[in-house]
Amino acid sequence: MTDQGEEHGFTGGHNPWVVALTVTLATFMEVLDTSIANVSLPHIAGDLSVSQDESTWVLTSYLVSNAIVLPVSGWFSTRIGRKRFYMGCVVIFTLSSFLCGVSPNLSLLIFFRVLQGIGGGGLQPSEQAILADTFPPRKRGMAFAIYGMAVVLAPAIGPTLGGYITDHFSWRWVFLINVPVGLLSLLLTNRVVVDPPHLVAAKKRLGPIDTVGLGLVALGLGCLEYVLDRGQEDDWFASRPILLFSFVSAAALVAFVAWELNQEHPIVDIRLFRIRSFAASSVMMLVLGMALFGSTVLLPQYMQLWMGYSAQQAGMALSPGGVVVILLLPLVGRLVTRFDARLLIAFGFAVLSLSLLHMAHTIYPGIDFRTATELRIYQSVGLAFLFVPINTLAYSGVPAAKNNQVAGIVNLSRNMGGDIGIALVTTLIARRSQVHQSNLAAHVDAGSDILRARIAGISRALEHAGSGPAEALRQAYGVVYRQLLQQAQTLAYQDVLFILACFSAAMVPLVFLARRVQGGRSAPAH
C-alpha cells in the first residue's frame, strides 16, 4: 500500500507551488541549453578560428556527459541527499556556463561543456522526483504541467532565442545568461526544498556504490550518444570509429543490464521495468522525445533551406506552438486528476500522428508562414496531452522510495528519444533525397517539348535580366536542376513525417498495456 507521505505529499512546511516554480528555474535553463547553442555554431567556429565540423563537438560533448548522468542521478540523489545533489548540480551547471562564456579556445569550451552536461544531467530527474514527493498523486498532474512547460517549451524557443542572442549580442551570452538564473535557483532551493523522510530512510538502506554498473552505463551511453550525434556526418557504419563505438555501446549496455539484475544495490534499478505501467511509460516517453525533437529540427530546417528564412524567422514558426502547449498543459493537468490517464495519452498520440500525416501532405516550398505555424500548432495540441499523463502513469504502482530512480530513467528515455529522433530525421532526409532525386531524374526526358519550353522561358527571362544567351542557357539548366533537388528533398521530408506519424500511431494500442490510473490515484505499490 502507499504510505502516508505519498498520499499527502511532503512540502517541508512550504507552499508546494513555490517549491515547483523554484526547481523549474534551473531545469528550464538546462533543457534550453540542449538546443539554444545549435544556431550559434557558425559564429563559435568563426570566432575561435575552427572548422564547422570541429565546432559540432560543442554539442556532442554536452550530450554525451548529460546522457551518462541521467540514469545514475537517482542513486546519487539517495546517497548524498536529493537537495544537496540538486544544488550541487546547479552549482556545476552555473559555474561551467560562465566558463563556457569566457572560453578563449575550442578545447576549453568543449571541456567546460562536458562539465555543464554533468551538472545539467542531474537537474531534470531531480526536479521531477521533488515534484512527485511534494505533491500527492491526485495533484501531480498540475505539478507535472509546470515541469512540462519547461521541458516542452524550452526546445521550441531555443533556436529562436539562440538566433536572437547571437545576432544582436554574442554567442558567449548564450551561456552567460544561465548565470543569474542559476544563482537565483540556488538561493530559492536552499530556502524551500527539503528532503522527505522516506528519502532519509532510504539513504540508510543504500549499499556501497556499484562501480561496475556505473562504469558500464557510462561507457555504453557515452558511446551510443557519440554514434547518434556523429553517425550521419561520418556515414554511419561505413566509418570505422562509428562501427567500433556501436559495438562497444551494445556490449557495455547488454553487460550492464545483466549485471544490474543480479545486484542487491544496483545503481540503476532495472527491475522497475517489471512494472507494466512504468515500462510502457518509458517506451512512450522515448517516442514522444523522437516526435518532439525530430519535428522541432525538421520544420525550421526546411524553412531555412528551401524558403529562405533566417534561423530566427524559422524559430518564430515554432513559437505559437509553444504558446499552445503553455495554455493546454494546466488543462491537461486538471484532466489527468479526473480521467483515466491512458485515455488522455491515447488521444494525444492520435492527434500527434494525424498532425504529422497532415504536415506530410501539406508541406511544400511555397507554403506561407501562417500555414507553417498552423502545422506546428496542430502538433502542439497532441504534445500537450502526452507529457503530463505519461509522467503520471510512470509513477503508478511504484513505491515512493523509488521516485528518484523513476525520474532518472524516464528523463533518460525522453532525451535518448530526442537524440534518436534527430539522428533519424537527418539520416532519412539525406538518404531518401538521393532516392527521390534518382527517380525524378530518370523521368526527365532531355528531348521533351515541355522541358525545352521551360528552359527557353527561363533563358529569355534571364536574358532580359542582363545575362548573355550562353550564360542564360547555362543558368536555366541550373534553375531546373535546383527545382529537381527541391522536389526530391520535399518528398524526403514527407517520408520522414510519415515515419514519425507511424511511430506515434503505434503508441495508441501500447498505452492500454499499462494499468488504469484514474483521478490521479496511483495504483498500489508492491
Side-chain angles (χ1 to χ4, degrees), residues 103-115:
S103 296
N105 55 59
L106 182 64
S107 298
L108 282 176
L109 177 57
I110 291 172
F111 175 72
F112 294 137
R113 281 286 279 178
V114 171
L115 295 181

Side-chain angles (χ1 to χ4, degrees), residues 78-92:
T78 307
R79 163 61 69 182
I80 66 178
R82 189 164 59 209
K83 176 180 179 179
R84 188 179 300 173
F85 175 72
Y86 181 78
M87 292 183 67
C89 288
V90 175
V91 169
I92 295 173

Side-chain angles (χ1 to χ4, degrees), residues 25-274:
L25 277 175
T27 303
F28 178 80
M29 295 307 299
E30 189 275 326
V31 179
L32 190 67
D33 240 53
T34 60
S35 61
I36 192 174
N38 293 22
V39 296
S40 304
L41 290 184
H43 298 267
I44 294 174
D47 191 37
L48 299 182
S49 302
V50 297
S51 68
Q52 183 75 24
D53 182 58
E54 290 174 312
S55 69
T56 59
W57 281 101
V58 173
L59 304 179
T60 305
S61 56
Y62 182 88
L63 293 173
V64 169
S65 59
N66 193 268
I68 292 171
V69 173
L70 275 170
V72 300
S73 61
W75 189 92
F76 282 105
S77 291
T78 307
R79 163 61 69 182
I80 66 178
R82 189 164 59 209
K83 176 180 179 179
R84 188 179 300 173
F85 175 72
Y86 181 78
M87 292 183 67
C89 288
V90 175
V91 169
I92 295 173
F93 181 77
T94 304
L95 179 60
S96 57
S97 295
F98 172 77
L99 294 173
C100 285
V102 299
S103 296
N105 55 59
L106 182 64
S107 298
L108 282 176
L109 177 57
I110 291 172
F111 175 72
F112 294 137
R113 281 286 279 178
V114 171
L115 295 181
Q116 191 184 35
I118 291 173
L123 295 178
Q124 295 181 52
S126 295
E127 178 190 349
Q128 189 170 330
I130 289 170
L131 294 178
D133 282 331
T134 302
F135 292 82
R138 65 182 181 277
K139 294 183 178 179
R140 279 180 188 162
M142 289 300 295
F144 287 148
I146 299 293
Y147 177 54
M149 289 181 187
V151 175
V152 177
L153 180 62
I157 69 172
T160 308
L161 182 60
Y164 179 83
I165 292 173
T166 303
D167 290 342
H168 293 82
F169 302 97
S170 165
W171 64 266
R172 298 183 182 276
W173 281 101
V174 167
F175 302 110
L176 294 176
I177 59 171
N178 295 333
V179 176
V181 178
L183 294 176
L184 178 62
S185 175
L186 273 177
L187 176 65
L188 294 177
T189 301
N190 186 52
R191 292 180 63 90
V192 305
V193 175
V194 181
D195 286 346
H198 74 77
L199 192 61
V200 177
K203 180 180 179 180
K204 299 176 182 178
R205 300 192 300 268
L206 198 65
I209 185 170
D210 177 14
T211 53
V212 174
L214 177 60
L216 288 172
V217 72
L219 180 63
L221 289 178
C223 290
L224 177 59
E225 195 63 59
Y226 175 87
V227 169
L228 292 173
D229 191 59
R230 305 284 297 184
Q232 171 57 24
E233 189 173 338
D234 295 344
D235 199 21
W236 291 102
F237 299 116
S239 165
R240 292 188 66 180
I242 293 295
L243 192 61
L244 175 62
F245 276 88
S246 299
F247 175 78
V248 172
S249 174
L253 291 176
V254 169
F256 167 73
V257 172
W259 175 267
E260 294 297 277
L261 288 175
N262 292 287
Q263 296 303 302
E264 184 180 356
H265 301 288
I267 197 163
V268 179
D269 194 352
I270 302 296
R271 298 181 185 90
L272 285 173
F273 284 95
R274 294 173 179 171

Side-chain angles (χ1 to χ4, degrees), residues 404-422:
N404 287 339
Q405 290 278 351
V406 170
I409 296 173
V410 168
N411 278 276
L412 175 67
S413 296
R414 188 187 67 252
N415 280 25
M416 292 306 299
D419 297 334
I420 293 170
I422 293 171

Side-chain angles (χ1 to χ4, degrees), residues 216-435:
L216 288 172
V217 72
L219 180 63
L221 289 178
C223 290
L224 177 59
E225 195 63 59
Y226 175 87
V227 169
L228 292 173
D229 191 59
R230 305 284 297 184
Q232 171 57 24
E233 189 173 338
D234 295 344
D235 199 21
W236 291 102
F237 299 116
S239 165
R240 292 188 66 180
I242 293 295
L243 192 61
L244 175 62
F245 276 88
S246 299
F247 175 78
V248 172
S249 174
L253 291 176
V254 169
F256 167 73
V257 172
W259 175 267
E260 294 297 277
L261 288 175
N262 292 287
Q263 296 303 302
E264 184 180 356
H265 301 288
I267 197 163
V268 179
D269 194 352
I270 302 296
R271 298 181 185 90
L272 285 173
F273 284 95
R274 294 173 179 171
I275 303 173
R276 283 187 315 178
S277 296
F278 175 78
S281 298
S282 298
V283 174
M284 290 185 290
M285 192 61 80
L286 183 80
V287 174
L288 172 59
M290 290 174 59
L292 171 62
F293 287 91
S295 60
T296 300
V297 167
L298 190 146
L299 184 59
Q301 186 185 77
Y302 187 83
M303 296 175 74
Q304 291 177 72
L305 185 62
W306 294 114
M307 298 172 64
Y309 282 46
S310 67
Q312 185 175 340
Q313 289 172 325
M316 288 298 294
L318 303 182
S319 300
V323 174
V324 170
V325 171
I326 290 178
L327 295 176
L328 285 180
L329 277 174
L331 170 64
V332 177
R334 298 281 294 179
L335 291 176
V336 82
T337 65
R338 299 172 181 267
F339 300 100
D340 185 352
R342 299 177 304 170
L343 298 178
L344 299 177
I345 296 171
F347 173 77
F349 272 120
V351 171
L352 180 59
S353 179
L354 291 173
S355 66
L356 290 168
L357 284 174
H358 176 63
M359 179 181 282
H361 288 87
T362 304
I363 192 169
Y364 73 102
I367 61 172
D368 56 19
F369 182 85
R370 177 177 178 178
T371 302
T373 301
E374 289 174 349
L375 292 175
R376 184 61 177 181
I377 289 175
Y378 299 153
Q379 292 178 33
S380 299
V381 173
L383 293 171
F385 275 85
L386 292 173
F387 187 84
V388 174
I390 292 175
N391 276 299
T392 302
L393 195 65
Y395 288 90
S396 174
V398 179
K402 298 292 184 180
N403 281 352
N404 287 339
Q405 290 278 351
V406 170
I409 296 173
V410 168
N411 278 276
L412 175 67
S413 296
R414 188 187 67 252
N415 280 25
M416 292 306 299
D419 297 334
I420 293 170
I422 293 171
L424 181 71
V425 165
T426 54
T427 300
L428 286 177
I429 287 175
R431 302 292 171 88
R432 295 298 298 170
S433 294
Q434 295 174 350
V435 172

